[in-house]
Amino acid sequence: MNSGASSHMTWQRDYFDKFEEDSDGSSVRLGDNHKLFVKGKGDVMIRKLLNGQWYDSVIRDVRFVPDLKKNLMPEGKIIKLGMKIKVVASPYVKKSAFKETLLAVLKTSGLETELRNTVFHWMRSHNNNANINGYPVKEPLAYLRKAQLQWEKRIHKSLNSMCSELGVPLARFRLASDKDELSDKWTELSTYDIDLSQYRPVYAPKDFLEVLLWLRSPNYRPME
């Protein structure tokens, strides 16, 4: 908020929903008589709080001044719209009730609204529009399915290799009589003395850990 500013100004290019470049060399002059060049103007989408509800709104003819390094809203234009400006002293943040007093400061100082607008514009500039209105898009998990199939192929290859070395078929056709005999002796199988020394693990734990560590979501983009 600024009592001396004549126009809405911002230094954030990604705030603009509509933008027109300005190449005529126009400028603005600050209170210290320092001149900054205007690089364009346009419409900026914001979120406004009205009667306890948040709404999408637009500020038009906002000037883009990259060297300003702050956002300015002229008090005169706000008053002309029939609005009132109320300045409330922020209470101190108390250590004994840090969360409650901090939230109170954010609300009374207007920082809560500024934070909401900053997050709103950041999401718009990073093409996350689906999340702006509170409807997150379900993340595609095809890359996990692909990793699962590759891991299963790796297991099958290891099993086939071991069975070939031992001369033991991985699967074979059984007669009905063999199936009946196996069913009758199912509870006795654990008592059979079978030499398992030639059998090896299908995979090492480090192999599985390596697969997990190399999983990369194609939908993930690191914050800039």
Side-chain angles (χ1 to χ4, degrees):
M1 198 75 67
N2 189 282
S3 58
S6 58
S7 302
H8 298 298
M9 305 179 201
T10 182
W11 64 288
Q12 299 276 15
R13 173 62 180 85
D14 56 356
Y15 275 17
F16 290 90
D17 187 56
K18 294 182 180 180
F19 181 76
E20 294 180 2
E21 291 188 0
D22 188 354
S23 58
D24 60 2
S26 60
S27 61
V28 294
R29 196 170 294 276
L30 304 182
D32 60 358
N33 210 31
H34 187 62
K35 184 171 70 173
L36 300 177
F37 289 99
V38 178
K39 299 298 183 180
K41 66 178 181 179
D43 299 342
V44 172
M45 295 289 295
I46 64 168
R47 298 277 286 170
K48 65 181 180 181
L49 181 63
L50 184 62
N51 297 327
Q53 294 291 328
W54 286 95
Y55 299 92
D56 292 337
S57 187
V58 181
I59 302 179
R60 304 192 185 279
D61 296 325
V62 179
R63 296 188 179 186
F64 175 47
V65 187
D67 295 328
L68 186 60
K69 302 304 179 185
K70 65 175 67 175
N71 302 318
L72 291 181
M73 297 183 67
E75 294 180 2
K77 284 198 170 186
I78 295 175
I79 294 174
K80 285 182 180 179
L81 293 174
M83 300 181 183
K84 294 182 179 180
I85 299 174
K86 183 178 180 181
V87 180
V88 181
S90 299
Y92 292 105
V93 177
K94 299 178 182 179
K95 187 176 181 180
S96 58
F98 181 79
K99 180 179 178 180
E100 292 77 8
T101 54
L102 178 61
L103 291 175
V105 169
L106 289 174
K107 290 180 179 179
T108 56
S109 64
L111 286 176
E112 181 185 26
T113 303
E114 186 173 345
L115 284 172
R116 285 177 178 268
N117 284 330
T118 300
V119 173
F120 177 77
H121 289 295
W122 185 90
M123 294 176 69
R124 283 175 61 87
S125 64
H126 288 73
N127 297 322
N128 288 328
N129 296 329
N131 291 333
I132 292 177
N133 296 321
Y135 299 100
V137 176
K138 186 176 181 180
E139 180 184 12
L141 300 179
Y143 73 99
L144 288 178
R145 179 58 179 165
K146 182 179 179 181
Q148 178 186 357
L149 292 174
Q150 291 176 344
W151 177 249
E152 290 176 354
K153 288 180 180 178
R154 188 171 176 178
I155 296 297
H156 290 163
K157 183 178 180 181
S158 180
L159 277 172
N160 287 326
S161 175
M162 180 175 62
C163 290
S164 298
E165 292 176 6
L166 298 177
V168 178
L170 184 60
R172 65 181 179 181
F173 178 77
R174 295 180 182 273
L175 299 175
S177 57
D178 294 334
K179 295 179 182 179
D180 294 338
E181 182 181 2
L182 186 61
S183 298
D184 294 339
K185 297 182 179 180
W186 183 257
T187 57
E188 303 175 11
L189 293 178
S190 61
T191 62
Y192 287 4
D193 186 14
I194 302 176
D195 182 15
L196 301 178
S197 60
Q198 295 182 342
Y199 292 86
R200 64 174 185 271
V202 178
Y203 68 90
K206 67 179 184 64
D207 295 333
F208 186 60
L209 179 61
E210 180 182 353
V211 172
L212 294 179
L213 292 176
W214 277 99
L215 279 177
R216 293 291 184 273
S217 171
N219 314 300
Y220 171 74
R221 287 177 296 177
M223 294 181 63
E224 298 176 356

